[in-house]
Amino acid sequence: MLNTIIVDDEEFARSSLYFLLQENCESIHIAGIAKSVAEARGLLTSNTIDLIFLDIAMPGENGFELIPYAQAGKAHVIFTTAYDQYALKAIKANALDYLLKPIDIDELKAAVDKAEKYITLNKNENGRKESLQNLALNLSERNEIRKISLPNGQGYSLINIDDIIHIEADSNYSVFYLQNKDKITVSKVLKEYEEILPDNQFVRIHKSSIINLNYVKEYNSKNGLEVILKNGDKIAVSRRRASDFADKIKSYTSFDIDK
């Protein structure tokens, strides 16, 4: 039996993964469930853990910050993530494994089988550290991400990032405005998507707004710097983010915002 913990800030993700493991993976014993890296550290301290199903994007500390503690406890990691398969294809050889949300049962079984064989073979510590470090490095580049999974209450919506026009903060929620005129509200703060989305295409222009540069129609400084998007939405650029926006728009187009 593999002593296992689940680490994810989304209640639906935690409960659905728990159910899938209980129903499909006899070699797994769920030793604990955590909704944050801080809670996971406590579980690692009080239990001998073989395997961690670890979300990446979480408020406060992200999943990568748990890796040193996993290594210290000789626990192995399977990442659960909203990154698409194309982005992860290049780094799959360096990871113990990963699961793309929403989790597929067959992929889950295959990942658990791989983990069981890997742990049984007892690969050396240095090899495991190098694998996790390479995964963290490659994922952090975020250059190939083309899709993200957005929790919608009953499951997940898989969204092409090119279809995102802009994202607006609403307290502790983020509202996605999509090319097909749909809106999706997600119970995550804007900063998490600022970190996930490729910064050569998406720029935070205000504490409450991230825009997709593909949808910029025009910008002007008549009443302070303002961006007009192709769907007609007008969004203010805050003073402290104006310089970063200017740099991004210059590199993205042939126009000079200062002219």
Side-chain angles (χ1 to χ4, degrees):
M1 297 290 285
L2 301 179
N3 265 359
T4 302
I5 62 173
I6 297 168
V7 186
D8 200 304
D9 66 304
E10 297 170 5
E11 183 178 357
F12 175 84
R14 294 192 301 271
S15 59
S16 60
L17 179 54
Y18 176 86
F19 174 79
L20 290 173
L21 289 169
Q22 291 287 89
E23 293 295 313
N24 298 281
C25 303
E26 294 181 355
S27 63
I28 295 293
H29 170 255
I30 306 297
I33 299 176
K35 61 178 179 290
S36 68
V37 169
E39 287 188 8
R41 281 197 294 266
L43 291 175
L44 288 172
T45 300
S46 57
N47 299 273
T48 299
I49 302 301
D50 301 304
L51 184 62
I52 305 171
F53 287 91
L54 180 60
D55 187 24
I56 293 174
M58 293 183 285
E61 300 171 280
N62 65 41
F64 293 127
E65 294 178 75
L66 187 64
I67 288 176
Y69 299 92
Q71 292 172 344
K74 298 183 179 180
H76 301 268
V77 172
I78 294 176
F79 282 107
T80 58
T81 177
Y83 291 87
D84 73 340
Q85 288 176 311
Y86 182 74
L88 289 165
K89 185 177 180 181
I91 61 172
K92 188 172 182 180
N94 288 332
L96 181 53
D97 215 323
Y98 72 90
L99 294 169
L100 180 70
K101 297 176 182 178
I103 293 171
D104 177 84
I105 294 176
D106 291 333
E107 291 180 0
L108 175 63
K109 290 179 179 178
V112 170
D113 286 344
K114 180 189 291 187
E116 190 172 10
K117 291 173 183 176
Y118 190 92
I119 292 169
T120 300
L121 289 172
N122 194 23
K123 292 288 182 74
N124 68 75
E125 182 76 7
N126 289 335
R128 182 162 56 84
K129 283 183 179 179
E130 183 179 355
S131 172
L132 289 169
Q133 288 166 352
N134 286 342
L135 176 63
L137 176 63
N138 285 315
L139 271 178
S140 67
E141 292 176 356
R142 310 194 312 276
N143 291 329
E144 297 293 340
I145 299 165
R146 303 317 308 163
K147 295 182 180 181
I148 58 172
S149 296
L150 302 179
N152 58 26
Q154 288 72 45
Y156 295 87
S157 299
L158 192 60
I159 304 297
N160 288 313
I161 66 166
D162 289 337
D163 292 336
I164 301 170
I165 299 175
H166 65 107
I167 314 167
E168 296 297 314
D170 183 4
S171 185
N172 289 324
Y173 294 82
S174 296
V175 182
F176 284 72
Y177 292 78
L178 304 179
Q179 190 269 341
N180 64 1
K181 298 184 180 180
D182 282 352
K183 290 196 301 184
I184 298 178
T185 301
V186 179
S187 58
K188 286 182 176 288
V189 295
L190 203 62
K191 180 175 175 54
E192 295 187 34
Y193 295 104
E194 182 182 14
E195 294 174 349
I196 290 172
L197 292 167
D199 59 9
N200 63 335
Q201 182 178 349
F202 290 84
V203 57
R204 190 164 184 173
I205 61 172
H206 192 276
K207 67 178 182 180
S208 301
S209 304
I210 294 174
I211 64 168
N212 184 343
L213 293 174
N214 288 338
Y215 290 95
V216 174
K217 181 179 180 180
E218 61 180 277
Y219 47 85
N220 61 68
S221 56
K222 293 177 182 177
N223 299 303
L225 191 57
E226 180 182 67
V227 172
I228 302 174
L229 302 175
K230 291 179 181 178
N231 67 345
D233 288 347
K234 298 179 180 180
I235 303 175
V237 182
S238 68
R239 289 185 178 180
R240 78 182 192 89
R241 298 182 185 273
S243 177
D244 182 53
F245 171 69
D247 291 339
K248 292 286 178 63
I249 204 73
K250 284 176 186 176
S251 63
Y252 193 75
T253 70
S254 59
F255 296 101
D256 188 336
I257 197 170
D258 295 326
K259 289 184 178 180

